[in-house]
Structures are given as C-alpha cells and as structure tokens.
Amino acid sequence: MAYWLATRRTVQAEGVISRFDPRFWTVDFPRPMMAAVTTTAPDALRVDAVFYTQGDLAGVIWDAEDTHDHPLLRYATSRDFRSCRLAFRWRSAGVVALDAVNGPVLTIEGRDAGGAPRAWYVRLWNYATGTPEDARVTLDFADLAGGFALPGEADPVWAGDVDRMFVSLVPPGYVAGAATPLGAPVEAWVELSGISCDGSGAVLAIGDAIVPEHGLSIASGYDDSYNLTPARLLRNALLLGYRGSITHYVGMSHYMRLGAHSGGFYVGLAGGALNVAAAAWHRDFAEGARRLGYDVIWSLSYELFDAYCWGDWKQRAWDGTPAQTGWSPPSTLLSPAHGGAMGYLRAVAEAFVGIAVVAGLAPKFQIGEPWWWVLPDGRPCLYDGAARAAFGGSPVQIATLASVTTAGERALLDMAGVVLAVSTAALVAAVRAVAPAVQTHLLVYLPTVLATATPKAKRANVPLSWARPAFDVLQLEDYDFVVAGDVSATARGVAAMQARLGYAVGETHYFSGFVLRPDQAAEWRAIEAAAAAARRRGAARTFLWALPQVLRDGFVHFDQEEDAVDPFDDVLFPIALGREAEVSPEFSTAIVTSGGGHEARNASWAEARTRYDVGPGVRSEADIAALLAFFRARMGPARGFRLRDPFDASSGGGVPTPLDQRIGTGDGTTVRFALVKRYGDAVRRITRPVAGSVRVAVAASETTRFTLAAGGWVDFDDPPAVGAAVTAGFQFDVPVRFAEDRLSVTRATFLAGAATSVPLIEVREDAA
C-alpha cells in the first residue's frame, strides 16, 4: 500500500466540461433553513429548500476557483467570464418570483477593471422572457448590468475578474436580517434546465485522472457535504479508486424537520422525519450510488445538534449538566432511556432505509457510536429524568468513572448497558420492519469505551447483549489511537471487542483515522498504516474517515503490485559468523580542502551504514548449499533479511538489562518509544530486535506493561509519568541484503582453502 498527498495536477489526465455544468454548483444558507442542490439531467439542476424565518436566504453558487474537489480532479480556475453567454430555463415555486422586489438576483463578486473589490447585483427578471415562475433567462457577461430597473439604474458589470457568483432565493415576506419565524415553514424549489454556455470561454479543463481500484472503502458525511451535489461527491469517490460500500453518516444537524417553539427551533416529525432538501439530496445520492455500483451503509448516531434538541431528550450528569461534545457550536447526546428521543431516531432510520429500498440498493444500516456520554472530568451522563426513572428513580451517584468501587455503582452501569442495548435493539427492529433483509452494523469507538482512565465504562457502553448475532457486522474505529501512533492500543482494542462481543475478524469492519484540520495532514501516514494493518489481519472491509478530508488534503491511496511481495524476509542469515567475518561501518562525508590546507567537511549520514563480507564464515559444503539456497530464496538483493553481527548484537553487555539504553523520557501522554543504541553522541535506530530479548524499565523499575511493535517500537499500556526515564535492553539483528545480483562459489575454491566473498550491505529501514 502507498499514498500521496497531492496539491495540484501536473501530468495527470484532463478532460473538459462546460462552464456552469450542473454537477459543480453549490448551495449555502444560514441556520435554521436548509437547502440542497441535485442534478436532474446532464443540463439541469434542482434546488429544494425549506425556509423557517423571514430572513432566510439561500445562495446557489458558481465558484470561479474549485476548492471542493480533490486537487487531481478540480476544474481549472478561470475568473474571466466576458466571453461567456449563459442561458437556462427557470421554474420555481415557494420563493419570491422573478419579477418581485427581492426576487432572484445574480450577485457577482470580484474586482472591477481597475482591480478594486466590488459586487454587482443582476436582477434576473431584466434578462428573462416568460412568466415570473417559468421563464427563459439569457446572460451575456460581455453586456450585463446590475440594478433593479434598466436602463435607468444600470450598473455595468465588468466580468473579467470574478471570484464567484450566486443566485439568491428568499421566501415570500422576506425581511433582510430578520429572525422572526414564518407562520409555517415554507417548502420551495427551483429548477434550472437546458443550461448552456456559449462563447470562447465556455469550456473548462477538468481533472480526469482515474486511480486504479484498490482495497479500501470510503466514508462520507452529510454535515460536511450538504452543499455539494451528490453527483460531484460520488465522482470523486469513484475516480479516487474507492469501491464497494460507502458508509454515509447522515449527520446530526442538517437532515431534520424543525418547528418554532419558545424562541428556538426544535426537531419534530410533523410532515415526516426528513426535511424536503435532505430527502431530495439523499434520494439523488442513493440513485447515483446504485448506478455506479456502490452499496450505501446508512449511518445514524445518537448525536443531535444541541440547539435543535428538546431539553428532556438530552443525557445529563448528576447536576443536570447536558452531555455536549466539543464541536462549535456543540452537539448533544440523546438519552437511550427517553421514549420520545428514541422514537424520533427510529423514524429517521426508517426514512433513510426507505430511501435505499426505493433506489434499489441492498439495505444496510449502521448504528453509529451509541453510548452514554462521559464529561471530560469523568462524570457519566446517566441522570436525565428518563434515565433516573429507568434506574428506579434514585440511582446512586457516580462522581467519576475513574473510580467505580462499590457494588451499587457497578450495578448502575450494568443497568445503563441494558437500557442502551434495548434502545439499539429497537432501532434494529424498526429498520427490519421497513426492509426485512437489512444488514445491520454496530459502530464502536474504542478509545472511549476502552479508556484506561475509565475501565468500567464498557459495562454501560458495550453491553454484552450486543454480542453476536445481535448485529450482522461489528465496526470499529479508534482514530485517537491511530493519530497518536498507539499501535498496541489498536491491537488490544480490536482483540478486546472481538472477545467481548464474539465477532470473528471476518465479521468486522475497521475505520482508519480522521484528520480534523488541514495543518494535521501528516497524520495521514499513521492512518494509511492503520488501514494496512486492518487489511492484514483480515477485516472484511477497511474504510477511511472520511471523503471530505480526503478531498481537502489531496489524499491518494493506491495499491502496488509489489505490496504482495514483502521486500524484507524476517529470517536470520543461516550461517553462524565467526570472528573472521569482515565488518566495515562507513559514512558518506564530503571534504573540501582549501588552497591553504584548511578543510570543510559535511557528513551526509547521521548514522553509519555497515558493509559485511560473510564469506569467511562459509566452512563446509553444507554451508555452501545453504548459502546458495538462501541467495535464491532472497532473489539476490531483492529481499532483505536479518544478520547477527558477531561484534555488535546487544544493547550493552552479553546479557541485556532493562537499564542499558535510554530510549526516552515520559511526558504523561506519549506511549510509543523507539529502541535505540547510543555510541557516544551518535544514536543508532534499532528496527530488528530479537524476539523475547527486550526488557524495559520506567524510572529504573522494570515493567512488562508494554508491547513490542514492528519496527522496534515499545508501546506502553499506560504513558510513562512526566520526567520518568524510559530505558531498555535488548539483543538485535541488522537488516541487510546481498550487495550484488551475482553470487560466485566453487567447490575448488573452497577445497583450496580460499575464502569465498559474500558481500552484504545494511538496509536503511523506515521505522516510523
């Protein structure tokens, strides 16, 4: 496996699109309204919207610069629209009509001919023929003017340096900036059909690179992609090589219907579970996925946008503090004990699975991270009104999950687990009522439920009644472990969940990593490695979280043919070396001598690279036979192997002690330390320790609470304390390869007592 973070297109394939291609429009709007743009034909798009306040406004946007697609797949930036002529048919309902005050306006943002920033406001009705709700609109950007009444109020547009343009849509009774709720939500739609662009600037180059199909699947999220067309999102997934199932998180802030109440807007089921925009977007997404051969796993969590959530639906701590995540603005967690909250989730699940069935997709549903929330200080949110009632009315107070010591506290956590399991079973039953053949998935977030600081949390958050066959597939994610490089925590977590719930490795999926911010793009390295490890251990599917971050950071994954051939065979050179073997450490140093005899020296390598000649160790015809067989098996220099250096194979003396080498200092957070051997100020990275020989100490006290990971890493079960010296002792081998493609050995040479030359060279290993 390999990956690349692409920043721009260079030699990759390109195609062309017509400027204003319906797939590449976006939409934006303020809360609480909702809008979505979908493609209804190759030359048509539709906007569905629901307005809740007098000040709601949606913009249907065309950007001169594509910042939404993957860098290899973006359309070319072209800010000059003067040689373009755009035409389309306009049809609408539920929005202020073309001829009215506050009717649809094309806002053009950019700079004038002198380079000064400005905007123009082009009233579409001035360029329309037909009726206010069904008209043909033609816009010649070389001859276009803003202003309400033309020609008297004409404001000529200079379209030579445009950043973006958008058509504004507002509800009847619109008042700019007003937060006053409308008498009732207004559902609206607009269709632009027969979209055409003429002129010399009508065509744009677009990335058309196709990454070969590989073994990873992709996850997406509606809250991150609501503003894009489904066709655009699916195009990126397809061309980047992702196949099979798409896990689609329906989100927690954009799919719901809302109603005004007590100065806010709250979720409800009047008229259905999904608002018209979200329903239209997901129908288009499902149909597009089916056409491209994808399955969709519809993911629904217990998380809800806090501002939209009824107060008694929220999980709460003992003192009434609501369960809130760290997002800004925050989301909250629904109480598994609250009948109204759980009934709402069941209705939402039924709606999404129903969309899948109508689209002809095999129904698949995931319950995503169902849990009782734990506040940062360890307080569990088990005490909302419905939960208290479910636990008998007066549950015992657990001050922190870091210290659960009494039988009453353990019993409360067990009861919480039962309530959680009942709620998930009801969700499964609800989707099975819609689609009896639905495949059900449970997503468990390992760092939360297996946190060492709160060891009893799993009693509430991984109830034993989730055990196989409660769900068809167990899905695991652990991005905190992954980005911290805590490989052993991942291994322990996966093993613990499989043991607790009884799902075989072939019945599990794995979600690898999550890069929250662009400045954290280096974390893709660990995410790629975790995905590779999941595939090696036999996970049925491995997903990347998530497509929006893949597009933002330019992540490209590809499988290489050589991935099936390990370039290093973890075997020891078969002939024991004696003291007569030749060992030659070497450096690469550039030395420049001046005319006066002074020298300037530059060391290119921080560590020596050792060459060996192991020919003198060949002592018999049996050794020759073993050497030839070993050379053939390694394909000459193609594959590396282990060599036990007869002069340097231990961290200290002959028998390692845990205090031999200092490998780091604890900071209270880091759990992974690299094995090294020091030679004065020089540090040698040890990547091939001898199994069973590694001994470790923290603050001079030997410990066995660690795992030795591939590459010579020590992964502690718990992070060493701040300032604690971390030391280790070990035996080690040197990774080497044959230095030449040819090996010449003759029986006559051996019988004559001449030493055969068998040169080897040390291999620099990437141990990160």
Side-chain angles (χ1 to χ4, degrees):
M1 292 171 60
Y3 78 97
W4 172 38
L5 297 182
T7 57
R8 61 188 178 90
R9 196 163 59 250
T10 53
V11 299
Q12 291 77 29
E14 286 189 345
V16 295
I17 60 167
S18 174
R19 201 190 303 237
F20 303 111
D21 185 308
R23 294 172 295 173
F24 300 98
W25 289 76
T26 63
V27 65
D28 209 356
F29 46 86
R31 300 185 196 276
M33 77 160 293
M34 180 61 201
V37 58
T38 56
T39 50
T40 55
D43 63 349
L45 64 84
R46 176 182 169 105
V47 180
D48 287 274
V50 54
F51 301 103
Y52 293 108
T53 77
Q54 292 179 345
D56 285 347
L57 181 150
V60 189
I61 305 164
W62 180 269
D63 289 298
E65 180 182 4
D66 181 356
T67 59
H68 299 291
D69 291 296
H70 191 279
L72 299 183
L73 303 176
R74 292 172 181 166
Y75 58 75
T77 299
S78 178
R79 302 185 188 280
D80 190 346
F81 288 75
R82 289 173 297 171
S83 57
C84 298
R85 185 171 179 269
L86 171 65
F88 54 84
R89 181 185 179 186
W90 171 283
R91 296 176 61 239
S92 65
V95 300
V96 171
L98 286 170
D99 64 338
V101 175
N102 295 321
V105 167
L106 178 67
T107 298
I108 301 175
E109 298 176 339
R111 283 152 294 280
D112 63 20
R118 69 155 301 176
W120 295 268
Y121 305 96
V122 179
R123 187 185 182 209
L124 293 186
W125 183 243
N126 289 334
Y127 296 91
T129 57
T131 71
E133 293 182 333
D134 188 349
R136 186 73 183 172
V137 178
T138 303
L139 303 170
D140 185 345
F141 288 94
D143 183 20
L144 204 61
F148 186 81
L150 301 183
E153 299 176 358
D155 178 16
V157 172
W158 192 77
D161 192 5
V162 173
D163 292 327
R164 70 168 186 168
M165 55 185 69
F166 63 89
V167 178
S168 54
L169 309 175
V170 298
Y174 172 75
V175 179
T180 306
L182 297 168
V186 173
E187 296 178 351
W189 59 267
V190 172
E191 287 184 350
L192 306 185
S193 59
I195 298 172
S196 65
C197 185
D198 301 322
S200 59
V203 174
L204 297 175
I206 189 170
D208 203 21
I210 302 176
V211 177
E213 178 181 349
H214 47 70
L216 296 183
S217 297
I218 195 69
S220 66
Y222 186 48
D223 287 343
D224 292 320
S225 305
Y226 66 87
N227 58 323
L228 307 180
T229 65
R232 187 175 195 171
L233 202 65
L234 291 166
R235 173 181 179 269
N236 278 272
L238 184 73
L239 295 185
L240 291 173
Y242 300 99
R243 298 292 188 274
S245 293
I246 296 175
T247 295
H248 177 70
Y249 178 41
V250 301
M252 52 84 179
S253 62
H254 285 87
Y255 66 76
M256 57 282 301
R257 287 179 178 265
L258 301 174
H261 183 80
S262 302
F265 290 88
Y266 296 88
V267 299
L269 296 174
L274 311 181
N275 64 60
V276 292
W281 192 97
H282 284 94
R283 285 195 297 268
D284 193 43
F285 178 75
E287 292 164 1
R290 178 189 54 77
R291 287 194 299 269
L292 294 177
Y294 287 111
D295 292 326
V296 177
I297 302 172
W298 304 89
S299 170
L300 178 66
S301 75
Y302 282 42
E303 191 175 356
L304 197 65
F305 188 60
D306 185 72
Y308 297 162
C309 186
W310 299 96
D312 60 340
W313 287 17
K314 300 177 185 180
Q315 296 179 27
R316 295 183 182 273
W318 178 269
D319 64 355
T321 300
Q324 289 187 340
T325 65
W327 301 112
S328 181
S331 54
T332 191
L333 276 296
L334 298 177
S335 172
H338 195 284
M342 293 299 100
Y344 176 75
L345 276 190
R346 291 194 293 272
V348 172
E350 291 167 357
F352 280 113
V353 172
I355 286 174
V357 171
V358 171
L361 289 171
K364 298 184 177 183
F365 177 71
Q366 178 210 86
I367 302 176
E369 298 175 351
W371 54 29
W372 293 98
W373 192 249
V374 181
L375 296 176
D377 59 6
R379 287 180 293 156
C381 293
L382 301 171
Y383 301 103
D384 58 89
R388 287 176 180 268
F391 302 148
S394 300
V396 63
Q397 180 183 2
I398 299 177
T400 173
L401 281 179
S403 177
V404 176
T405 59
T406 70
E409 291 171 334
R410 292 191 293 271
L412 176 59
L413 293 177
D414 290 340
M415 283 190 287
V418 170
V419 171
L420 181 61
V422 168
S423 72
T424 57
L427 262 177
V428 168
V431 296
R432 282 184 175 154
V434 175
V438 65
Q439 186 183 63
T440 59
H441 303 67
L442 173 71
L443 179 63
V444 176
Y445 182 57
L446 298 177
T448 294
V449 299
L450 294 177
T452 56
T454 55
K456 303 300 182 184
K458 61 179 174 289
R459 301 180 79 122
N461 282 336
V462 190
L464 291 174
S465 50
W466 279 352
R468 185 181 185 275
F471 299 89
D472 296 308
V473 180
L474 174 64
Q475 298 182 309
L476 303 173
E477 64 173 329
D478 62 342
Y479 50 80
D480 281 1
F481 291 163
V482 170
V483 299
D486 196 348
V487 177
S488 63
T490 293
R492 292 195 306 272
V494 171
M497 281 303 97
Q498 290 175 339
R500 184 172 178 84
L501 300 180
Y503 294 86
V505 65
E507 298 171 313
T508 64
H509 293 169
Y510 179 72
F511 291 80
S512 180
F514 183 86
V515 182
L516 184 60
R517 303 191 310 267
D519 62 323
Q520 299 170 325
E523 293 175 354
W524 283 111
R525 181 178 184 137
I527 291 167
E528 173 82 1
R535 293 174 67 182
R536 286 194 299 269
R537 68 173 171 262
R541 283 201 178 277
T542 300
F543 294 83
L544 290 187
W545 273 118
L547 186 57
Q549 285 72 40
V550 166
L551 306 187
R552 180 197 66 199
D553 295 340
F555 179 86
V556 181
H557 169 84
F558 45 92
D559 288 345
Q560 297 174 303
E561 288 186 13
E562 57 264 35
D563 287 344
V565 179
D566 192 344
F568 190 94
D569 292 338
D570 199 29
V571 295
L572 188 66
F573 185 70
I575 302 172
L577 303 185
R579 295 287 174 175
E580 63 270 26
E582 294 182 9
V583 181
S584 306
E586 66 179 7
F587 287 92
S588 175
T589 307
I591 302 175
V592 178
T593 304
S594 69
H598 296 285
E599 291 183 346
R601 294 179 294 275
N602 180 61
S604 301
W605 299 347
E607 294 182 41
R609 188 184 192 194
T610 308
R611 290 181 179 270
Y612 299 86
D613 191 338
V614 298
V618 179
R619 301 180 179 88
S620 66
E621 293 190 39
D623 285 348
I624 292 177
L627 175 62
L628 290 173
F630 192 78
F631 183 82
R632 288 177 180 275
R634 307 287 81 72
M635 296 165 49
R639 296 179 176 178
F641 52 92
R642 288 175 177 256
L643 180 74
R644 191 72 45 84
D645 189 322
F647 306 105
D648 188 6
S650 179
S651 56
V655 178
T657 78
L659 304 179
D660 285 350
Q661 299 288 332
R662 184 157 183 157
I663 64 173
T665 302
D667 60 8
T669 301
T670 302
V671 295
R672 167 165 275 208
F673 295 83
L675 292 179
V676 297
K677 182 173 181 180
R678 301 178 187 275
Y679 303 81
D681 292 334
V683 179
R684 182 184 189 181
R685 181 73 172 83
I686 303 301
T687 60
R688 297 286 169 175
V690 176
S693 73
V694 179
R695 301 175 65 185
V696 176
V698 176
S701 178
E702 187 167 9
T703 178
T704 59
R705 291 183 56 76
F706 71 91
T707 302
L708 181 64
W713 292 97
V714 173
D715 291 340
F716 286 96
D717 293 354
D718 305 296
V722 175
V726 182
T727 57
F730 43 83
Q731 294 177 326
F732 64 93
D733 297 322
V734 181
V736 299
R737 63 170 173 81
F738 288 101
E740 299 175 357
D741 283 308
R742 179 181 175 185
L743 180 62
S744 179
V745 179
T746 69
R747 187 171 183 271
T749 299
F750 175 76
L751 291 176
T756 300
S757 178
V758 184
L760 308 178
I761 188 167
E762 184 176 359
V763 175
R764 289 268 196 254
E765 290 196 293
D766 183 0

